[in-house]
Amino acid sequence: EVQLVESGGGLVQPGRSLRLSCAASGFTFDDYAMHWVRQAPGKGLEWVSGISWNSGSIGYADSVKGRFTISRDNAKNSLYLQMNSLRAEDTALYYCAKPASRGRPYYFDYWGQGTLVTVSS
Amino acid sequence: DIQMTQSPSTLSASVGDRVTITCRASQSISSWLAWYQQKPGKAPKLLIYKASSLESGVPSRFSGSGSGTEFTLTISSLQPDDFATYYCQQYNSYSLTFGGGTKVEIK
């Protein structure tokens, strides 16, 4: 059974940093790209970032480019999101998402339960 | 980035109704479109991919159609379990984008 378990969320002041993790199991992690998608309270879904299976291809939404860094450790079956210079508008539930296929295109067949990031003073 | 516009934003319907949700892309995305269902407090669930392919395990009352810039999700006979929010997502470009969502409410 595929499982994606996010952690690392919490309350953080504006301008500070936070690192999210996603522990994956139930599939061959290093066969798949992985992505982060967020959802602000009461709002819609926003793609944040994606990373290829070998970390060779990485993409970011314009809203987080230069502040967030995605990475993965295939030996640990884990995905990460380093979030720096956090802003109030980064407040959201952050989901780890697995694409349905090994290569592009990317739509998602499994999602974690999300980890909540609240940016507030 | 490709913008995705869903309509309506809210839809009131009764059990048994036929429901149609529209998603428009700001440029052609061929058939690279997925639909998701999300219930409160839960992660999104994949319903449809490649515009019209039904994900395994999803009831056949759900169907998708369209190509290019205009797409629809249809629920042929709305069931109590279908009251939720629905999102489209384009995956024509690496910068993925979602529609704003359509909340299907009980009339």
Side-chain angles (χ1 to χ4, degrees):
Chain A
E1 179 194 5
V2 172
Q3 285 198 315
L4 300 170
V5 180
E6 302 94 337
S7 61
L11 175 63
V12 62
Q13 293 179 328
R16 304 298 290 265
S17 299
L18 208 57
R19 188 194 196 207
L20 305 184
S21 299
C22 171
S25 61
F27 65 103
T28 305
F29 184 71
D30 55 12
D31 272 355
Y32 290 85
M34 292 294 294
H35 294 252
W36 290 99
V37 177
R38 70 184 180 183
Q39 187 168 34
K43 302 297 183 182
L45 300 167
E46 180 188 16
W47 176 77
V48 174
S49 182
I51 184 169
S52 64
W53 68 275
N54 63 352
S55 305
S57 179
I58 287 174
Y60 299 98
D62 287 344
S63 58
V64 307
K65 204 171 291 182
R67 300 187 299 121
F68 289 11
T69 301
I70 191 171
S71 62
R72 63 190 295 162
D73 185 336
N74 288 343
K76 294 183 178 179
N77 287 354
S78 292
L79 175 71
Y80 305 102
L81 187 68
Q82 177 67 41
M83 304 186 296
N84 298 333
S85 303
L86 281 161
R87 306 167 180 168
E89 54 265 37
D90 296 319
T91 294
L93 187 64
Y94 284 74
Y95 291 105
C96 169
K98 170 193 166 294
S101 58
R102 289 183 171 83
R104 290 188 63 191
Y106 298 133
Y107 58 93
F108 306 112
D109 59 352
Y110 286 96
W111 301 64
Q113 84 289 348
T115 186
L116 182 62
V117 173
T118 303
V119 184
S120 175
S121 55
Chain B
D1 287 0
I2 299 173
Q3 307 302 316
M4 305 301 293
T5 303
Q6 276 184 245
S7 61
S9 54
T10 306
L11 186 160
S12 296
S14 302
V15 172
D17 284 353
R18 181 181 182 88
V19 165
T20 299
I21 298 168
T22 297
C23 180
R24 289 188 174 88
S26 60
Q27 64 188 73
S28 178
I29 58 170
S30 185
S31 296
W32 303 124
L33 185 99
W35 288 98
Y36 301 88
Q37 177 194 67
Q38 187 179 34
K39 296 182 178 179
K42 300 293 187 182
K45 173 188 174 183
L46 178 65
L47 300 176
I48 301 282
Y49 61 95
K50 208 174 179 183
S52 60
S53 296
L54 193 68
E55 173 71 352
S56 176
V58 173
S60 59
R61 63 181 180 271
F62 291 92
S63 65
S65 65
S67 65
T69 61
E70 188 150 340
F71 303 86
T72 58
L73 173 70
T74 299
I75 309 172
S76 60
S77 177
L78 198 65
Q79 298 303 300
D81 191 49
D82 301 339
F83 292 97
T85 300
Y86 294 84
Y87 294 94
C88 60
Q89 177 224 326
Q90 68 79 19
Y91 50 97
N92 181 69
S93 68
Y94 194 101
S95 186
L96 310 174
T97 46
F98 292 86
T102 296
K103 185 175 183 180
V104 177
E105 298 181 326
I106 300 173
K107 195 172 192 178

